[in-house]
Amino acid sequence: MALLKDIVSKQKMGAKFVLSAPMLGLDLAAFDIQAAIWATHGGPGFEAAGVPFRKVIDGKFLIQRLTVVRV
């Protein structure tokens, strides 16, 4: 995910920022899967900061936004 690397690299260490499906060019279902991994294990250069924001689609709660902190 080159786009993710670009977004993360623009942030200062310790900065909080939001990741979302549209920012990364993903559909909501694909983002939900990836964001769940990031929320648990962190991502390349960041860790989750707080509870993911979820949206109900077809009766399922999918992660729509994830607030993260640059490490």
Side-chain angles (χ1 to χ4, degrees):
M1 286 190 166
L3 185 58
L4 177 63
K5 247 183 175 177
D6 294 340
I7 293 169
V8 173
S9 68
K10 291 179 184 177
Q11 308 301 321
K12 293 181 181 182
M13 290 298 197
K16 285 186 181 180
F17 58 102
V18 173
L19 296 174
S20 67
M23 287 173 67
L24 301 175
L26 299 172
D27 64 33
L28 198 53
F31 180 75
D32 176 72
I33 293 167
Q34 188 62 57
I37 295 168
W38 292 335
T40 304
H41 303 289
F46 61 86
E47 294 177 351
V51 179
F53 179 82
R54 297 177 188 269
K55 181 177 184 177
V56 178
I57 298 187
D58 294 329
K60 296 180 183 178
F61 286 90
L62 300 177
I63 298 173
Q64 184 177 19
R65 293 188 309 261
L66 181 64
T67 301
V68 298
V69 63
R70 173 90 192 268
V71 292

